[in-house]
Amino acid sequence: MALSSLFQFACKDEEVDHNPVRGIAGEIRSSNTEERSPADFLTREELGHVLRTCQEQMSRHYPLVSLLARTGVRIGEALALRWDCVDFHGRCLIIKHSADRGRIGTPKSGKTRRVDMSRGLTETLQAYHLQQRKRALQQGTTQPSFLFTTRTGAMMDRATVHRTVWQPLLRKAEMRHIRVHDLRHTFASLLIQNGESLAYVKEQMGHSTIKMTVDTYGHLVPGGNRQAVDRLDGLEKATIRNHTL
């Protein structure tokens, strides 16, 4: 399609933030099945390698990749983030919106939630905020309200992230193909490996019910069931206490 080709060239030069006529049906299907697709996880070492590669070779996009890896927010939620939803003092993000093909809507759960930030991510975003402000002053423009934008200051979309950030990063890191969404699964799996409760994982991930969290990640709880049954051993040695008044 000629119109699609024109938009594709404009996207490549970052003159526009997305191609509104390319793969619309496919994007809708992708959005609807994102959470239900089989989860792939990076190991701690693999994630570290991806983050180092991004920091060293694609530093402009490191704040976005770091945020996705360290908070587990959905890509649409990250792209809809505005600076007034970043609480540096409280070290948290307030997730109020989600972006989909250039449009702003509510998060998948329909609810606003608070997501904790690590000290390292907080420092990364503080430096990024200052850098963004300095660039705006140099160019004589106002600082973008969105955290992550194209070079023209427009809000990024998922297709732009996939094409200009994620695919090039995986190639540079010589990493197997995984989706951007799999950073979310990786975040959850690492929390569980660190011994965090499924209730905390649910809140951070923004799942509507604990059942969704258990169904998706419950099998990752290390030895949870074995520890529970082990505590029933030794009952034969227990004695009945005679409680008398």
Side-chain angles (χ1 to χ4, degrees), residues 211-243:
K211 181 179 184 302
M212 181 183 296
T213 311
V214 172
D215 288 348
T216 308
Y217 304 112
H219 67 286
L220 297 176
V221 177
N225 291 336
R226 290 191 300 274
Q227 293 173 10
V229 295
D230 283 347
R231 284 192 285 270
L232 298 179
D233 284 348
L235 293 178
E236 295 84 356
K237 300 177 182 178
T239 58
I240 298 177
R241 294 183 181 180
N242 185 16
H243 295 284

Side-chain angles (χ1 to χ4, degrees), residues 38-51 65 68-73 166 175-176 178-194 201 205 216-217 220:
D40 194 359
F41 307 94
L42 292 176
T43 65
R44 184 182 299 273
E45 293 74 21
E46 287 175 331
L47 180 59
H49 176 62
V50 169
L51 289 172
V65 176
L68 292 171
R70 288 183 164 91
T71 65
V73 300
W166 191 240
M175 184 65 63
R176 70 182 187 280
I178 64 168
R179 304 162 303 170
V180 175
H181 190 70
D182 288 321
L183 286 178
R184 176 171 163 83
H185 293 312
T186 297
F187 169 78
S189 71
L190 292 179
L191 281 186
I192 292 170
Q193 288 176 32
N194 287 342
V201 175
M205 301 290 282
T216 308
Y217 304 112
L220 297 176

Side-chain angles (χ1 to χ4, degrees), residues 86-243:
V86 181
D87 182 352
F88 288 122
H89 179 71
R91 288 206 287 125
C92 68
L93 303 174
I94 309 301
I95 305 298
K96 298 179 179 180
H97 302 103
S98 183
D100 186 16
R101 300 191 302 279
R103 295 188 295 272
I104 301 294
T106 58
K108 187 169 183 178
S109 66
K111 299 178 181 179
T112 295
R113 76 181 188 279
R114 166 182 154 158
V115 175
D116 293 334
M117 290 195 299
S118 68
R119 289 186 177 85
L121 177 59
T122 301
E123 293 171 359
T124 294
L125 292 185
Q126 285 175 326
Y128 176 59
H129 184 258
L130 180 59
Q131 182 185 54
Q132 199 181 67
R133 180 184 297 175
K134 288 181 177 178
R135 186 184 304 115
L137 288 173
Q138 292 170 353
Q139 297 174 348
T141 60
T142 58
Q143 183 175 6
S145 58
F146 292 104
L147 271 68
F148 308 113
T149 64
T150 64
R151 293 188 184 277
T152 62
M155 182 182 67
M156 298 180 76
D157 73 352
R158 301 181 193 195
T160 301
V161 172
H162 180 71
R163 185 185 64 256
T164 66
V165 180
W166 191 240
Q167 285 186 328
L169 175 57
L170 291 180
R171 287 195 296 269
K172 289 178 183 295
E174 298 182 345
M175 184 65 63
R176 70 182 187 280
H177 172 73
I178 64 168
R179 304 162 303 170
V180 175
H181 190 70
D182 288 321
L183 286 178
R184 176 171 163 83
H185 293 312
T186 297
F187 169 78
S189 71
L190 292 179
L191 281 186
I192 292 170
Q193 288 176 32
N194 287 342
E196 300 300 335
S197 70
L198 288 176
Y200 179 72
V201 175
K202 170 191 175 296
E203 294 303 317
Q204 290 295 104
M205 301 290 282
H207 288 161
S208 56
T209 65
I210 190 67
K211 181 179 184 302
M212 181 183 296
T213 311
V214 172
D215 288 348
T216 308
Y217 304 112
H219 67 286
L220 297 176
V221 177
N225 291 336
R226 290 191 300 274
Q227 293 173 10
V229 295
D230 283 347
R231 284 192 285 270
L232 298 179
D233 284 348
L235 293 178
E236 295 84 356
K237 300 177 182 178
T239 58
I240 298 177
R241 294 183 181 180
N242 185 16
H243 295 284

Side-chain angles (χ1 to χ4, degrees), residues 46-62:
E46 287 175 331
L47 180 59
H49 176 62
V50 169
L51 289 172
R52 282 193 302 275
T53 301
C54 189
Q55 191 174 39
E56 295 169 0
Q57 301 187 41
M58 298 178 64
S59 59
R60 175 172 175 257
H61 300 298
Y62 177 73

